[in-house]
Amino acid sequence: MMVKFLFLALPFFIVFGVHAEAGNAHAGYTKIDEVDGRMVSYFNFRAENITENRAITSFYPLSIQSFSNVSQRRKSLAVIAENLTQTASNDYLLQFSNDEIDGDILFFLTYSLGILSTREELVQGVTLTSNDAFRVKAKLKETFQQVSEKLTARNFLTSLTRSKSGNLAVYFDWEGDCSQMAPKTTAAIPVNDVAVNMTVWCDAKSNALTATPNSREGLQSVYDIFSMNEWATIQLPQIQHEVRFWVAGFQQSWASANQNDL
């Protein structure tokens, strides 16, 4: 069956009824919270492998509910793209299993792609000409990129790894503006209200900043804070707000390195 198209001058919008719950996910290694109306995820030290000895805090531009809705939207777009395949006659077939079709996909097909088809027709398979398929694929790609951008987080990382000298060290990494910074500087950075002297590097090519305690005493302070607390709060250079890290598991991560450097 050749597809019917409905061309409407309607703004793109989709309303979903999917709900996200704050709590633990990913085998207990991630906590989701909402701060000032925006979703924040906290990933803690896993203590399974030295390459996984890191805690990540991610700030999203969306609330928990909005993040869930947009994530579902991106999933629906991916399902549509996966089910659009070229045939031997160079036409395209849009076909779904009955379980794949939900209200979100039907809404998007109708009001964004202009495809008027019933659930039954979509299960049987709807044929698109190559020109129509090209337009649909272009719209899917454009919308998928727009949706993905909304899900992009600003990430902050603290990691336990080894310095060039071979000793265990704690590093903090985040994005910033290197245009007004020296490639290498020092700063007293508060960690749980304890000022820790750190060396700060700024990579102008990627606008990536890295900080690490520049003395044994500074590393001891961070070690004590991370070991005795479930959460650690740090005021990083150039960042207007404090960043909270979920440091539970840090001691196990340190032990997994099999070296007591303090």
Side-chain angles (χ1 to χ4, degrees), residues 98-187:
N98 191 57
D99 293 339
E100 288 177 317
I101 303 174
D102 57 20
D104 302 331
I105 286 179
L106 288 173
F107 189 94
F108 186 82
L109 289 173
T110 300
Y111 293 104
S112 184
L113 298 180
I115 298 177
L116 286 176
S117 296
T118 65
R119 175 187 293 270
E120 291 73 20
E121 291 170 341
L122 291 168
V123 171
Q124 292 175 4
V126 174
T127 302
L128 282 69
T129 66
S130 58
N131 287 337
D132 287 335
F134 179 81
R135 181 185 65 81
V136 168
K137 290 168 69 175
K139 181 64 175 179
L140 283 171
K141 181 178 179 180
E142 176 189 3
T143 307
F144 189 88
Q145 290 175 340
Q146 293 172 348
V147 169
S148 296
E149 288 175 0
K150 292 182 179 180
L151 298 176
T152 301
R154 187 173 190 185
N155 298 313
F156 298 85
L157 168 71
T158 180
S159 58
L160 173 64
T161 186
R162 295 192 181 278
S163 64
K164 291 182 179 179
S165 62
N167 296 321
L168 285 177
V170 175
Y171 291 88
F172 300 90
D173 295 277
W174 69 102
E175 293 180 4
D177 181 8
C178 295
S179 61
Q180 303 298 321
M181 282 189 65
K184 183 178 180 180
T185 185
T186 58

Side-chain angles (χ1 to χ4, degrees), residues 20-235:
E21 296 183 1
N24 292 349
H26 303 302
Y29 296 124
T30 303
K31 286 187 177 182
I32 305 297
D33 200 357
E34 196 163 299
V35 179
D36 297 329
R38 297 292 182 265
M39 190 179 95
V40 184
S41 71
Y42 304 97
F43 182 92
N44 74 324
F45 287 86
R46 295 181 62 174
E48 294 177 359
N49 186 298
I50 190 63
T51 61
E52 296 177 327
N53 290 341
R54 62 193 64 183
I56 303 171
T57 298
S58 301
F59 291 85
Y60 294 86
L62 303 169
S63 66
I64 292 175
Q65 180 62 61
S66 295
F67 183 88
S68 176
N69 292 346
V70 176
S71 296
Q72 179 61 41
R73 183 184 308 172
R74 184 168 68 171
K75 180 180 178 181
S76 297
L77 292 168
V79 170
I80 295 172
E82 290 170 359
N83 287 280
L84 181 62
T85 58
Q86 193 170 16
T87 67
S89 61
N90 289 326
D91 287 330
Y92 281 77
L93 184 68
L94 183 62
Q95 187 174 28
F96 302 84
S97 69
N98 191 57
D99 293 339
E100 288 177 317
I101 303 174
D102 57 20
D104 302 331
I105 286 179
L106 288 173
F107 189 94
F108 186 82
L109 289 173
T110 300
Y111 293 104
S112 184
L113 298 180
I115 298 177
L116 286 176
S117 296
T118 65
R119 175 187 293 270
E120 291 73 20
E121 291 170 341
L122 291 168
V123 171
Q124 292 175 4
V126 174
T127 302
L128 282 69
T129 66
S130 58
N131 287 337
D132 287 335
F134 179 81
R135 181 185 65 81
V136 168
K137 290 168 69 175
K139 181 64 175 179
L140 283 171
K141 181 178 179 180
E142 176 189 3
T143 307
F144 189 88
Q145 290 175 340
Q146 293 172 348
V147 169
S148 296
E149 288 175 0
K150 292 182 179 180
L151 298 176
T152 301
R154 187 173 190 185
N155 298 313
F156 298 85
L157 168 71
T158 180
S159 58
L160 173 64
T161 186
R162 295 192 181 278
S163 64
K164 291 182 179 179
S165 62
N167 296 321
L168 285 177
V170 175
Y171 291 88
F172 300 90
D173 295 277
W174 69 102
E175 293 180 4
D177 181 8
C178 295
S179 61
Q180 303 298 321
M181 282 189 65
K184 183 178 180 180
T185 185
T186 58
I189 299 178
V191 183
N192 277 17
D193 297 324
V194 175
V196 179
N197 290 323
M198 299 194 193
T199 299
V200 181
W201 294 272
C202 201
D203 183 348
K205 291 183 179 179
S206 58
N207 280 328
L209 283 82
T210 300
T212 188
N214 57 18
S215 68
R216 190 179 184 86
E217 291 74 22
L219 178 59
Q220 180 72 60
S221 295
V222 172
Y223 175 88
D224 292 341
I225 293 169
F226 280 18
S227 298
M228 293 186 294
N229 296 279
E230 184 178 5
W231 297 92
T233 302
I234 184 170
Q235 183 65 62

